[in-house]
Amino acid sequence: EALKNPSYGLLHAGFFTCGFHIAFLVTHLPGEVGLCGLPAEVASGALALIGLANIAGSLLAGWAVGRWRSKMILFWMYASRALLVLIYLAAPHTALTFYLFAIGLGVTWLATVPPTAGVVGKLFGTRYLATLFGLTLLSHQIGGFFGAWLGGLALAHNGDYQWMWYADALLAATAALVNLPIREARV
């Protein structure tokens, strides 16, 4: 029943992109920092800031799910990721840029989990929530594989991550849009 539901498929598409985005960044952000001529401490600091901001973002998302429609929360999270990547590309690549980028991304890092699980629960109830969210998480992991792998291919073939950043921004924007037609009851 779930696999025939278009809203469930759209949720998988968004979460695939989330996995792509996260795995690309966590795997290749240190390399990007190095390509920009910055010390390794900037990469480790940026990853630490992602983790700290992740705590706040996850708590905030859990709170927001009780107040607004989860699909709209997901829309804004994915849209903000696309915008943050585009701003990063246009900004000078300094330590401060990486730190601000990391904080912005960290707020949405795992914050997609509460609204995604919430939509699954609203669509199908809680009886099979663990199984159905687990399948959604599988799409996240498949996206993660492609984010890490294609980032490596980009670096090996082009010597930088330029086209991956644009692909990431495009996928994040697409993920934002595919959440809008999800059929979710109003809060």
Side-chain angles (χ1 to χ4, degrees):
E1 179 185 330
L3 295 177
K4 294 177 185 175
N5 187 311
S7 292
Y8 188 59
L10 293 171
L11 198 61
H12 276 251
F15 222 42
F16 171 92
T17 298
C18 182
F20 180 95
H21 175 79
I22 286 175
F24 167 61
L25 287 168
V26 79
T27 305
H28 298 289
L29 188 64
E32 176 75 4
V33 168
L35 288 172
C36 293
L38 297 169
E41 291 82 14
V42 174
S44 62
L47 290 171
L49 287 170
I50 287 172
L52 285 173
N54 185 24
I55 295 167
S58 296
L59 292 171
L60 183 62
W63 171 82
V65 164
R67 286 157 180 74
W68 296 288
R69 294 170 83 183
S70 293
K71 72 178 195 172
M72 296 309 298
I73 295 167
L74 289 168
F75 168 82
W76 287 110
M77 283 186 195
Y78 292 130
S80 70
R81 287 182 184 183
L83 184 61
L84 283 165
V85 169
L86 293 175
I87 290 170
Y88 163 75
L89 289 172
H93 294 164
T94 65
L96 180 62
T97 300
F98 279 102
Y99 296 148
L100 293 174
F101 182 58
I103 291 167
L105 291 175
V107 170
T108 70
W109 202 258
L110 285 177
T112 57
V113 172
T116 301
V119 170
V120 173
K122 288 176 186 176
L123 290 173
F124 306 107
T126 57
R127 182 171 182 194
Y128 299 108
L129 178 60
T131 300
L132 294 174
F133 183 71
L135 290 172
T136 308
L137 189 57
L138 175 63
S139 67
H140 185 278
Q141 298 306 96
I142 293 168
F145 162 78
F146 282 107
W149 180 57
L150 291 174
L153 285 179
L155 184 62
H157 290 285
N158 301 327
D160 63 27
Y161 299 104
Q162 191 69 26
W163 72 266
M164 276 297 289
W165 287 112
Y166 289 111
D168 188 38
L170 179 63
L171 283 172
T174 302
L177 295 175
V178 301
N179 278 280
L180 292 177
I182 291 174
R183 295 191 170 263
E184 178 192 7
R186 294 193 183 276
V187 175

